[in-house]
Amino acid sequence: MIAGTLEEDVDGASTSTGSTTVAAEPSTLHLATYASRYTDIARVNRLKFIAKVCPKLQVPALELAINHVKTFTYNVQLYDELYRTLCEAIEKREAEIEPSEEVVASTSKASSSEAGYIKKAGRRVPYDALWVEDNTMESTLLQQELDAELQYKKANSGSAKVRRILEEIGDYHLKGYNLKLAVKYYARARQYCTSTDNVINMFRNMIRVSIYMANWWHVLTYIEDAKKYALGFENLAQKVPPQLNCAAGLANMGLKIYKTAAQCFLQTPFDQYDFDTIVAREDVSYYVGLCALATLDQDQLALDVINSVGFRPFFQLSPQVLSLVTTFHAGDFDHCLLVLNQIEDHVRLDYYLAPHVDTLFGKIKARIQKRRAPPATKVKGH
């Protein structure tokens, strides 16, 4: 099995606005609780990003990411990458604390086949060679078993069983972070779907992996296809489209179409929300708050955001964001800017929102400046 890494994803998230901004030190974020909101690749993406932009949280974020990889994935390559980064981070931190102390061994000289750990300033960072060996063997055997079962099912079973094994193979590749192969097998399941639920599940799998890959146009395409399909069935027409609004908002935000992103997020139903493995409910309120303030007019802010009964439960999870929007709308710009400053560290740690913070903050501050400016006086002619 060829395992993938997340380096390109994390770099892409941090540089899509043209620069990587190092976050200030957040004083209120409990990292373990924050990470527990998410699962699978979303959790590792977020932890790696936090480690990249926040020096204070770098070591604990990497430790949590390593623990997740070892517990829930087959990705030895990613484990190696995180391990090296963790060792470098600890070495750098200890060098700053005790700059005169000699580093006994550098991470660049370590490998899984050598000492089994890296020693720095008296501290050992253990390399789990046993996990690497067992996991590599287990992953290889499982892939062979799944491939053999697929061939057997195709020759001897009906569509339902073939679809299930294709989904299992897709799940296997997703667990190994081989996203291109995961998409391939999820897509192949389409021709073996035997119910409307099967088809919707296939679309959701495609959307999810495309989000992990940051293929935003693909995300929007699959959402549109899923909605068109759902509209053909009475039992799906009312349920499925709203559930896809958060993914649509995320894709539009990724494409910097902020007004559409805000409108999509605002149409996300709180009571049917099932996207929280990738985007927590608390995140949605931040996405809406910043995208809406940057793009929506006063009437839209009042009607669609502040007075939205459907969206208010999201704001109740993040009251600072509601305060931000209401003070902007009321013209209390000093308080609005204060809240904007208070949430800045938090939003700069968000994997999906961080690349857009400078742009959105700039738009919001420009709108504040424009509303603060006195109206131009007309010079009467003689």
Side-chain angles (χ1 to χ4, degrees), residues 161-226:
K161 292 184 177 180
V162 176
R163 174 189 54 78
R164 282 197 292 270
I165 191 62
L166 285 169
E167 289 177 348
E168 287 182 26
I169 296 175
D171 293 343
Y172 165 82
H173 287 299
L174 187 62
K175 203 172 181 180
Y177 291 32
N178 196 327
L179 303 183
K180 291 182 179 179
L181 279 179
V183 166
K184 174 184 175 181
Y185 280 95
Y186 286 142
R188 288 176 60 183
R190 173 67 187 268
Q191 62 181 308
Y192 298 100
C193 290
T194 55
S195 71
T196 56
D197 287 343
N198 293 162
V199 176
I200 294 301
N201 187 60
M202 182 275 302
F203 279 124
R204 291 175 69 88
N205 285 333
M206 301 286 285
I207 291 167
R208 179 165 49 108
V209 180
S210 296
I211 288 173
Y212 292 148
M213 298 174 74
N215 285 340
W216 302 122
W217 288 115
H218 287 185
V219 173
L220 293 177
T221 299
Y222 295 135
I223 289 172
E224 188 64 24
D225 289 345

Side-chain angles (χ1 to χ4, degrees), residues 63 94 106 126 179 195 201 265 268 351:
E63 289 174 340
E94 292 184 350
S106 68
L179 303 183
S195 71
N201 187 60
F265 287 128
T268 300
Y351 177 68

Side-chain angles (χ1 to χ4, degrees), residues 61-124:
L62 290 168
E63 289 174 340
L64 286 170
I66 287 174
N67 181 65
H68 178 87
V69 168
K70 289 175 62 179
T71 305
F72 298 106
T73 83
Y74 301 124
N75 200 332
V76 171
Q77 184 179 348
L78 180 57
Y79 170 72
D80 285 343
E81 175 195 326
L82 292 168
Y83 173 74
R84 289 193 301 270
T85 307
L86 175 62
C87 291
E88 291 167 359
I90 292 176
E91 179 177 315
K92 181 179 178 181
R93 186 175 67 176
E94 292 184 350
E96 291 172 351
I97 296 173
E98 301 178 31
S100 62
E101 188 164 3
E102 182 181 358
V103 177
V104 178
S106 68
T107 43
S108 60
K109 295 180 180 179
S111 70
S112 60
S113 60
E114 294 177 343
Y117 61 84
I118 296 175
K119 185 178 179 183
K120 304 175 301 303
R123 173 173 175 176
R124 292 179 176 183

Side-chain angles (χ1 to χ4, degrees), residues 375-382:
T377 56
K378 294 183 179 180
V379 180
K380 295 182 178 181
H382 295 289

Side-chain angles (χ1 to χ4, degrees), residues 76-345:
V76 171
Q77 184 179 348
L78 180 57
Y79 170 72
D80 285 343
E81 175 195 326
L82 292 168
Y83 173 74
R84 289 193 301 270
T85 307
L86 175 62
C87 291
E88 291 167 359
I90 292 176
E91 179 177 315
K92 181 179 178 181
R93 186 175 67 176
E94 292 184 350
E96 291 172 351
I97 296 173
E98 301 178 31
S100 62
E101 188 164 3
E102 182 181 358
V103 177
V104 178
S106 68
T107 43
S108 60
K109 295 180 180 179
S111 70
S112 60
S113 60
E114 294 177 343
Y117 61 84
I118 296 175
K119 185 178 179 183
K120 304 175 301 303
R123 173 173 175 176
R124 292 179 176 183
V125 180
Y127 181 87
D128 197 341
L130 182 60
W131 177 85
V132 169
E133 181 179 356
D134 288 350
N135 203 59
T136 301
M137 182 179 298
E138 180 184 348
S139 175
T140 301
L141 291 174
L142 180 57
Q143 182 176 20
Q144 293 173 351
E145 179 182 329
L146 289 170
D147 289 342
E149 188 173 356
L150 175 61
Q151 297 307 316
Y152 177 82
K153 297 289 194 216
K154 280 186 172 182
N156 299 283
S157 302
S159 294
K161 292 184 177 180
V162 176
R163 174 189 54 78
R164 282 197 292 270
I165 191 62
L166 285 169
E167 289 177 348
E168 287 182 26
I169 296 175
D171 293 343
Y172 165 82
H173 287 299
L174 187 62
K175 203 172 181 180
Y177 291 32
N178 196 327
L179 303 183
K180 291 182 179 179
L181 279 179
V183 166
K184 174 184 175 181
Y185 280 95
Y186 286 142
R188 288 176 60 183
R190 173 67 187 268
Q191 62 181 308
Y192 298 100
C193 290
T194 55
S195 71
T196 56
D197 287 343
N198 293 162
V199 176
I200 294 301
N201 187 60
M202 182 275 302
F203 279 124
R204 291 175 69 88
N205 285 333
M206 301 286 285
I207 291 167
R208 179 165 49 108
V209 180
S210 296
I211 288 173
Y212 292 148
M213 298 174 74
N215 285 340
W216 302 122
W217 288 115
H218 287 185
V219 173
L220 293 177
T221 299
Y222 295 135
I223 289 172
E224 188 64 24
D225 289 345
K227 287 183 176 180
K228 287 180 179 177
Y229 178 83
L231 291 175
F233 301 90
E234 186 176 352
N235 62 321
L236 299 178
Q238 298 299 319
K239 181 178 71 172
V240 172
Q243 291 178 338
L244 300 176
N245 283 329
C246 185
L250 203 59
N252 279 286
M253 188 170 72
L255 293 168
K256 304 181 183 180
I257 310 172
Y258 299 124
K259 185 172 184 178
T260 303
Q263 292 167 339
C264 290
F265 287 128
L266 285 165
Q267 295 170 24
T268 300
F270 186 87
D271 56 347
Q272 298 180 48
Y273 190 76
D274 61 351
F275 206 67
D276 47 0
T277 57
I278 299 176
V279 175
R281 285 178 170 88
E282 294 89 337
D283 301 329
V284 178
S285 59
Y286 282 95
Y287 299 171
V288 162
L290 294 183
C291 289
L293 284 184
T295 60
L296 300 185
D297 61 33
Q298 285 287 90
D299 290 341
Q300 290 172 319
L301 284 175
L303 180 63
D304 299 334
V305 184
I306 297 172
N307 297 319
S308 172
V309 176
F311 198 80
R312 184 163 289 273
F314 286 102
F315 279 142
Q316 289 173 347
L317 298 175
S318 306
Q320 272 189 310
V321 183
L322 180 58
S323 175
L324 178 70
V325 177
T326 53
T327 54
F328 177 92
H329 182 265
D332 186 358
F333 299 125
D334 288 337
H335 190 193
C336 178
L337 290 170
L338 175 64
V339 177
L340 204 62
N341 182 64
Q342 290 172 345
I343 69 171
E344 182 173 359
D345 284 345

